[in-house]
Amino acid sequence: MSSTTLRPVLLGTDLGIYAMARSFHEAFGVTSVVVSELPRGPINDSAIVENVFTGAGSSDEDLLTALKNVAAQQPEATHLLLVNSDHQLAFVLAHREQLEQHYVVPYADAAIVARLADKTAMYQVLADLAIPAPVTVPVDPGAREQSWREAAAGLTFPIVMKPFAGAEFEELDFAGHRKVYRLENDEELITELHRIAATGYTGTMLLQQLVLGDDTYNRVVNVYRDRRGQLTMAASGQVLLAMHQPTFIGNSAIIMVDYDEQLIEPVRAVLEAVDYRGFASVDFKVDSRTGVAYLLDINPRPGRSHYYAGVGGASAARSVVADFVTDTALPTQRATRPGVYAYIPTFVLGRYVRDRALLHRVRAVLRRRRAVHPLAYAADRNLKRWWYRVLAQVNQLRGLWRYYRRPTDSGF
């Protein structure tokens, strides 16, 4: 494909957005346009990214104007619009009709995306398919305390609490805000729900039975299902260490590529059941007591740490381009190449991987120099980027020391 015919346009500034730009550059040699409010480390000073900033506090109309201007710069190009967060996906779906005048918008219909993101609906699909999932009940932060206690009565503490849909909740800013909560008893549940209610949040929270196991019991699956209904990308990995800062809980810091059809097949079945097309990122947790893998979340986007699939030899960019730009059938790209995705230095694994046999396997991969930092791209070398990466790793190590000095049996 000629570099003049494809122009990826990405919304956001995080690690996953840069990793997507890297995937496009690796596959097609193209520079991606990244549209965001303000500069941020992962996308700054990059040779593979053209930044367009809309300014702090910009509105949807500001963003629409910026996107129209970007498309007008190269009207002959095929502009492919991609996002990697719930609220940005909501923006694209809300303004799809306008955006499709200028962009290829590679997302399923809003109703299908909503069903996939609706955790309550998805747990029913999982039940219908006999895919293990933890017991989950909804709770309304605006309701009475007694109803909160009643909702939790069927669960055994400690439990997990998380938002029913993440787009609105992730935009909140309040003391104690977390992506996922671990709650030890009724009183902690009531305290946190009062905090959430005080923000005016009108969404639903989900209470979920905690699945025991440290970070190494987490599994991730990333797939792309095309418009033909075929998986053109399939990857899975074993999390070795997660991020533990309150607003990053659930994100992976170090992942070992570990292709496992027993995890990918349930995901395929779910996507077929709801007729979903596009990227999906899925979280599993293996119960350390029983060995059962419970499906926790399935999200209609690549995910922050999706580049571990690239480490394993599968290209996210090739899947979406084959589906929406060249309209070609692409054989399944299976991420089977041994490797470790590492956002923070791997020397910490000696502290956090308690299974010595697993640690031995990981170190064997690392000895073959198969550790890949998503921001460390040979074609995008820059002293400022190197320095940012070093400082970011130091901050991650500080975060570990503050929030997770030693591995725990629950990962919290």
Side-chain angles (χ1 to χ4, degrees):
M1 175 176 296
S2 168
S3 62
T4 62
T5 62
L6 175 65
R7 199 175 187 215
V9 180
L10 317 177
L11 302 186
T13 60
D14 73 359
L15 188 67
I17 287 294
Y18 178 82
M20 186 61 71
R22 174 174 176 171
S23 181
F24 275 103
H25 193 267
E26 288 174 333
F28 304 110
V30 298
T31 296
S32 296
V33 179
V34 173
V35 181
S36 59
E37 289 190 356
L38 297 168
R40 191 163 173 238
I43 61 168
N44 290 351
D45 305 302
S46 171
I48 67 168
V49 165
E50 175 190 341
N51 282 305
V52 173
F53 301 119
T54 59
S58 54
S59 65
D60 281 7
E61 286 303 316
D62 294 329
L63 181 52
L64 285 169
T65 298
L67 288 170
K68 291 175 185 176
N69 290 339
V70 167
Q73 291 171 357
Q74 294 185 25
E76 76 288 352
T78 297
H79 292 87
L80 183 63
L81 184 62
L82 291 167
V83 301
N84 198 25
S85 74
D86 291 331
H87 74 274
Q88 287 158 344
L89 179 55
F91 163 83
V92 169
L93 296 178
H95 300 283
R96 184 173 203 150
E97 186 175 347
Q98 291 184 62
L99 291 169
E100 285 184 333
Q101 297 175 28
H102 311 279
Y103 288 89
V104 175
V105 179
Y107 296 102
D109 290 341
I112 295 175
V113 172
R115 189 178 181 197
L116 194 70
D118 180 337
K119 291 180 173 60
T120 302
M122 284 313 306
Y123 286 127
Q124 184 57 56
V125 172
L126 297 179
D128 293 342
L129 295 172
I131 297 172
V135 176
T136 305
V137 295
V139 62
D140 178 4
R144 297 176 297 107
E145 285 187 12
Q146 183 58 33
S147 72
W148 300 344
R149 295 182 190 275
E150 291 171 357
L155 303 174
T156 302
F157 284 95
I159 64 173
V160 169
M161 181 171 70
K162 56 190 176 183
F164 165 85
E168 182 183 353
F169 193 77
E170 71 181 23
E171 294 296 295
L172 298 177
D173 183 14
F174 63 95
H177 184 212
R178 301 177 188 177
K179 187 177 178 182
V180 180
Y181 296 77
R182 173 187 165 132
L183 305 172
E184 297 291 340
N185 50 51
D186 276 356
E187 297 312 311
E188 285 193 8
L189 169 66
I190 290 167
T191 296
E192 298 301 340
L193 284 173
H194 274 305
R195 284 181 177 177
I196 293 168
T199 69
Y201 179 64
T202 57
T204 299
M205 301 298 290
L206 297 178
L207 308 182
Q208 189 173 81
Q209 192 62 61
L210 175 67
V211 179
L212 284 180
D214 63 25
D215 286 354
T216 65
Y217 286 86
N218 292 320
R219 304 291 187 270
V220 289
V221 171
N222 282 74
V223 300
Y224 186 92
R225 185 171 186 258
D226 71 6
R227 288 178 291 175
R228 296 173 174 82
Q230 302 301 310
L231 292 190
T232 58
M233 185 186 81
S236 61
Q238 180 169 5
V239 177
L240 303 176
L241 182 63
M243 299 175 71
H244 289 272
Q245 298 93 319
T247 55
F248 286 96
I249 291 174
N251 288 310
S252 302
I254 305 178
I255 303 170
M256 181 171 65
V257 177
D258 185 18
Y259 188 82
D260 187 347
E261 283 285 350
Q262 291 185 333
L263 296 178
I264 290 167
E265 280 307 310
V267 174
R268 186 199 304 270
V270 171
L271 300 185
E272 287 180 354
V274 300
D275 197 25
Y276 174 82
R277 266 75 164 174
F279 289 108
S281 57
V282 187
D283 296 318
F284 286 86
K285 181 73 174 284
V286 176
D287 191 309
S288 60
R289 300 160 298 183
T290 65
V292 174
Y294 290 90
L295 197 157
L296 303 182
D297 286 300
I298 184 163
N299 301 292
R301 47 189 167 77
R304 188 176 187 274
S305 305
H306 70 85
Y307 191 74
Y308 82 90
V311 176
S315 169
R318 288 192 184 281
S319 285
V320 70
V321 167
D323 194 16
F324 279 90
V325 179
T326 62
D327 192 25
T328 56
L330 185 69
T332 304
Q333 304 176 87
R334 293 178 173 86
T336 57
R337 185 172 62 198
V340 174
Y341 166 101
Y343 182 55
I344 65 173
T346 57
F347 69 77
V348 302
L349 294 176
R351 182 184 188 90
Y352 289 100
V353 177
R354 298 186 288 184
D355 182 332
R356 295 295 101 178
L358 173 59
L359 184 61
H360 178 77
R361 284 176 53 211
V362 174
R363 285 175 169 166
V365 174
L366 294 175
R367 280 195 294 271
R368 295 197 291 272
R369 297 186 178 180
R370 284 299 300 156
V372 178
H373 190 297
L375 299 182
Y377 182 30
D380 197 16
R381 289 175 177 165
N382 180 293
L383 183 59
K384 290 181 179 179
R385 290 188 60 77
W386 174 84
W387 186 238
Y388 167 79
R389 192 167 74 246
V390 169
L391 293 179
Q393 289 181 315
V394 170
N395 286 336
Q396 288 300 320
L397 293 173
R398 286 174 175 167
L400 275 177
W401 186 249
R402 179 177 179 184
Y403 295 104
Y404 197 64
R405 293 192 180 189
R406 294 283 182 185
T408 67
D409 291 338
S410 67
F412 283 88

